[in-house]
Each structure stands twice: as structure tokens, then as C-alpha cells.
Amino acid sequence: MEITALDKKIIKALQEDLPLSEEPFREIANTLQIDEKELLNKIQYYIDEGIIRRFGAVIRHRKTGFTANAMVVWKADPDKTKEIGKKMAEFPEVSHCYERPVYPEWPYNLFTMVHGRSKQDCYEIAQRIGETVDIHEYSLLFSSEELKKTSMKYFMDEN
Amino acid sequence: MNQLDKELLTMIQKDFPIVERPYKYIANELQLTEKEVINRIKNLKEEGIIRRLGGVFDSRKLGYYSTLCAIKVPKEDLDEVATIINKIPGVTHNYLRNHQYNMWFTLIGPSEEYIQETLEEIKRKSGIEDLMNLPSKNFFKVEVKFNLMEV
């Protein structure tokens, strides 16, 4: 999709916080000086096209009971990463699954984010995944500190 | 957070209604009043459980590039390097992790050149050469929604 000046204006508004008023979209539409219906149609279009991956509440999982998460990195056969990645993605405890490049000091080519209620939980989930895809060289990286977590702001240097 | 809050959060994480009166729509689904829904969301924001209400965009579809990076930072330099990295607007996540590559951050930018230049700048300012750029080659899943009813 080609992103027009109007799209950029709308996207910039939707990456902010939705007003907690009875008619939040009308409020945004008024600010953008467009019709509310047009705004609602645009948002639905962005969702259908996958430009908006999801619309709704972004929550801090650390505060909701899913307290432990681990980045589990896997040394997978480079010829089988697609097949293995798909299998890993089927686990409900896996929220993200990517293939990434390797380095001399970094042999792991598959990355999964695994969520559990405790570190022990994460180890057990990783073990189950490992057994399913028959990979036994993997490592769990837990975060010891969150230094930054924000949402990306797009098109900020454009009017 | 009570059961009703969990139900509300589960619902508005993904299926937020794109209609003229979204809070009223949610209220009807949960048998609450519009005011109650607005107040509950307001509370969840104040408690820090909801970080934001809005669109989460696919950066690639907006023509942006993103990557995950890992850098090996000496313990005594952690604060200084974190400050350098966190100052960059395209850095959206940054974590310390239990590995010799101990600082992991995501970087989003309008072009591959921007990514390269920014990483060079981080190396220059921090004096650390050991930085891995790990852009995704394939992705199999991105899903941040959780059913909070199970918590």
C-alpha cells in the first residue's frame, strides 16, 4: 500500500493514547479535520491489511501474572529452520518466533520468546519444545532488568 | 486486578471495537455501563497495567526496518551505555540479560542505512566494538495477546 500524507496523519494519531471519552474516534477525527466515518473505515482498512497488527490495549505483562519470560535461542539445522520455526510457533507459550543470522560467537539461529509463571516454568516449556523439534542445543536468556520499553513513533519528522 | 478487569483486558487487547461508541459496545458485552468501562480502563492505566490504548503497527508495512541487537558491555559501563542507547528514539526495547552479550535492544528506523549508521554511532560513543546485529531472516509468529483469564 502506498502511504499518503493523510495516512501518515492518521497513523500518527493512532500511535498515541486513545481518548477515554464517549466518542474517542470523533475526537481524533475532529483534530484531524476529517469525517469520523472516514477515520473508522481507515482504521478497519489498516487492520485488514495488517498495517495495524492489532488495535487495543498494550499491557505491561510484568504486572499481570505472566511474570517470567525467557528469550530461548536454538541451534537449528540451517536447512530446517522453516519447518522447525513453524512447529515452535504452535506452542501457545511462545509469543514470538524468528530466524536470525549467526555469528562466530553466536551459533543460535532461532529465537523464541517464552512466557511462564516462573523461571522453572520457562525451563520446562523450553524442554518440551526442544523434545518436540529434537533440538538439544539451546539456551535461555532471562532479562534481569528492563532498561526501556516504549511503542515506536512513526513519521515523527514529517508533517 | 479482579476477574472483571481480566475479562475486560482480555477483550480489549485485540478485539477493541472500531465503532463510534467503543466503550459502550464493550459495556454491553460485559454487562456494565459505559461509565464503568471508562473508569475501569482509567484505573488500569493509573495502576500501570495498561501502557497505552491504540494501534500497534507492523513497522515493515510502513516501510520501516527493524532489528534486534546484542552488545557486550563491561559491568562498570552499563549505566553509561544504557543512556547512550536509550536516547535513540528508534530503540523501543532494551533489556539486560544473563549472557556475555548482556544488553539486548530492538532498533526501528526508516531505512537500512539509518540502522547501520545508528549502530556505528553506538559503537563510536560507547567504545564497544562487540555488537551483533540480528535482523530477522524469517518470522513464524508475533502475537502478544494473552488470555488473562488463565492467570
Side-chain angles (χ1 to χ4, degrees):
Chain A
M1 178 195 108
E2 207 204 316
I3 295 159
T4 64
L6 175 63
D7 289 321
K8 287 183 184 175
K9 247 170 59 171
I10 296 172
I11 289 163
K12 277 165 81 170
L14 299 178
Q15 66 191 4
E16 300 300 331
D17 220 354
L18 191 74
L20 280 171
S21 57
E22 289 181 355
E23 298 177 300
F25 295 115
R26 176 175 298 264
E27 225 179 279
I28 295 172
N30 287 347
T31 310
L32 299 177
Q33 296 179 296
I34 60 172
D35 190 59
E36 183 184 15
K37 266 255 124 32
E38 187 183 1
L39 176 65
L40 293 173
N41 289 340
K42 280 277 189 190
I43 298 173
Q44 197 53 57
Y45 173 74
Y46 299 149
I47 293 170
D48 295 342
E49 291 288 309
I51 293 163
I52 290 182
R53 196 177 277 151
R54 66 188 181 92
F55 190 97
V58 179
I59 70 174
R60 289 189 178 88
H61 286 287
R62 278 163 193 255
K63 296 204 169 196
T64 60
F66 276 96
T67 45
N69 68 78
M71 188 171 83
V72 189
V73 292
W74 308 84
K75 193 175 164 184
D77 179 343
D79 296 327
K80 291 187 186 162
T81 50
K82 279 194 181 157
E83 179 195 327
I84 296 168
K86 277 180 199 155
K87 274 191 197 160
M88 289 177 166
E90 282 171 18
F91 282 79
E93 297 94 340
V94 170
S95 65
H96 297 64
C97 183
Y98 290 93
E99 180 182 358
R100 300 184 183 279
V102 293
Y103 283 82
E105 278 187 74
W106 186 261
Y108 307 106
N109 50 1
L110 285 176
F111 286 61
T112 52
M113 282 307 301
V114 165
H115 301 259
R117 283 172 186 77
S118 63
K119 280 192 180 183
Q120 187 53 38
D121 216 10
C122 293
Y123 279 109
E124 285 168 17
I125 295 163
Q127 197 182 345
R128 271 197 286 123
I129 298 172
E131 282 164 8
T132 305
V133 297
D134 198 23
I135 299 182
H136 306 282
E137 279 183 82
Y138 63 89
S139 181
L140 279 79
L141 276 71
F142 290 97
S143 62
S144 54
E145 203 179 325
E146 183 180 283
L147 302 170
K148 187 176 184 184
K149 189 164 187 181
T150 54
S151 297
M152 180 62 185
K153 304 270 188 185
Y154 298 97
F155 310 124
M156 293 311 278
D157 50 355
E158 299 177 48
N159 290 315
Chain B
M1 220 177 20
N2 60 28
Q3 201 59 23
L4 199 52
D5 288 326
K6 287 182 183 175
E7 219 175 304
L8 174 65
L9 274 177
T10 300
M11 181 176 171
I12 64 174
Q13 275 191 90
K14 194 159 187 195
D15 300 317
F16 191 91
I18 311 300
V19 296
E20 288 173 14
R21 301 275 292 267
Y23 304 114
K24 193 175 177 194
Y25 183 100
I26 296 162
N28 289 342
E29 295 281 308
L30 300 176
Q31 294 175 309
L32 296 168
T33 66
E34 187 176 27
K35 247 219 130 45
E36 281 171 328
V37 168
I38 290 176
N39 284 336
R40 271 178 192 273
I41 295 177
K42 204 177 276 173
N43 287 341
L44 289 168
K45 277 188 179 172
E46 279 165 12
E47 288 167 31
I49 291 168
I50 295 181
R51 182 150 57 88
R52 189 172 68 88
L53 201 58
V56 177
F57 293 88
D58 183 335
S59 55
R60 291 178 312 164
K61 293 209 167 149
L62 296 177
Y64 277 70
Y65 293 80
S66 68
T67 187
L68 173 71
C69 298
I71 183 167
K72 227 184 248 180
V73 187
K75 216 172 168 210
E76 60 273 19
D77 299 334
L78 284 172
D79 285 346
E80 193 195 331
V81 177
T83 306
I84 293 168
I85 290 173
N86 290 354
K87 222 186 276 170
I88 300 161
V91 170
T92 55
H93 298 59
N94 189 7
Y95 293 96
L96 292 184
R97 295 192 182 275
N98 58 326
H99 191 269
Q100 38 173 327
Y101 285 97
N102 50 352
M103 198 179 284
W104 291 76
F105 59 94
T106 54
L107 175 63
I108 304 178
S111 66
E112 275 184 288
E113 293 71 44
Y114 168 89
I115 302 276
Q116 287 306 334
E117 284 165 18
T118 305
L119 295 183
E120 286 309 316
E121 189 189 316
I122 290 170
K123 286 184 189 173
R124 206 175 50 242
K125 284 187 178 165
S126 67
I128 301 170
E129 271 301 311
D130 211 340
L131 188 157
M132 296 191 295
N133 182 15
L134 299 160
S136 68
K137 294 163 80 178
N138 279 302
F139 83 105
F140 307 102
K141 191 175 193 178
V142 198
E143 176 59 79
V144 289
K145 188 187 154 212
F146 287 100
N147 185 353
L148 293 169
M149 302 307 287
E150 291 167 1
V151 176

